[in-house]
Amino acid sequence: MFLDKFRNRYSFNFLSFCGWIIVGLLCISFFPYIFEPQLGFPLAIIFIGILGLNLLFYIITFFVYVFEIVSWKRITNEKILNNKYIKLIQNLGIVFAFLPILILILFFTFSFIKSIVYNFQSIE
């Protein structure tokens, strides 16, 4: 698989762990209130805070990756690297690490499509 060559890196596992933190924050503070229309601005502030924390995690992951390259540090325990449960947790963590970016892209895409449809309907 594509991610197998990164599984023995500390930076990959750090980003995966940070993904679990991000999804925990989203579940606690963002998703329960997403369907309440009167909370538009506070939800935007919460989401921007979570997105900022996510970007901070990306920067820290980059520095950990550079440190790994310089110091030649890697995970060598085959028992950990070949465990299917750890692989599942890593895969979900990586998906969760990119979830705020995906939500932001989907928001702008749907808003762009909505504006195109609205403009098309107003022409007719």
Side-chain angles (χ1 to χ4, degrees):
M1 191 172 155
F2 172 71
L3 296 176
D4 285 340
K5 61 183 175 181
F6 299 112
R7 292 194 191 282
N8 62 346
R9 296 191 177 269
Y10 289 104
S11 58
F12 179 83
N13 289 304
F14 177 74
L15 186 62
S16 175
F17 178 72
C18 292
W20 281 98
I21 292 173
I22 292 297
V23 81
L25 287 174
L26 284 171
C27 288
I28 291 171
S29 62
F30 186 72
F31 289 144
Y33 306 109
I34 199 163
F35 295 113
E36 293 186 23
Q38 67 269 20
L39 292 178
F41 185 72
L43 278 179
I45 296 298
I46 290 170
F47 184 73
I48 289 171
I50 290 173
L51 190 64
L53 181 66
N54 199 19
L55 292 175
L56 179 69
F57 285 153
Y58 292 157
I59 293 169
I60 293 171
T61 301
F62 174 73
F63 285 122
V64 170
Y65 178 74
V66 169
F67 179 73
E68 282 178 336
I69 297 291
V70 171
S71 66
W72 293 87
K73 296 282 184 187
R74 293 202 176 167
I75 299 172
T76 57
N77 189 348
E78 292 295 324
K79 188 176 183 181
I80 292 175
L81 293 175
N82 295 327
N83 191 340
K84 64 180 179 178
Y85 296 114
I86 291 178
K87 285 183 181 182
L88 176 69
I89 290 171
Q90 286 175 339
N91 288 339
L92 287 174
I94 291 298
V95 169
F96 293 155
F98 294 106
L99 187 64
I101 303 290
L102 180 67
I103 290 172
L104 193 64
I105 290 170
L106 288 175
F107 173 75
F108 284 121
T109 303
F110 287 144
S111 122
F112 179 70
I113 291 171
K114 184 179 175 182
S115 69
I116 288 174
V117 169
Y118 178 75
N119 288 335
F120 183 72
Q121 288 176 350
S122 66
I123 291 173
E124 294 178 348

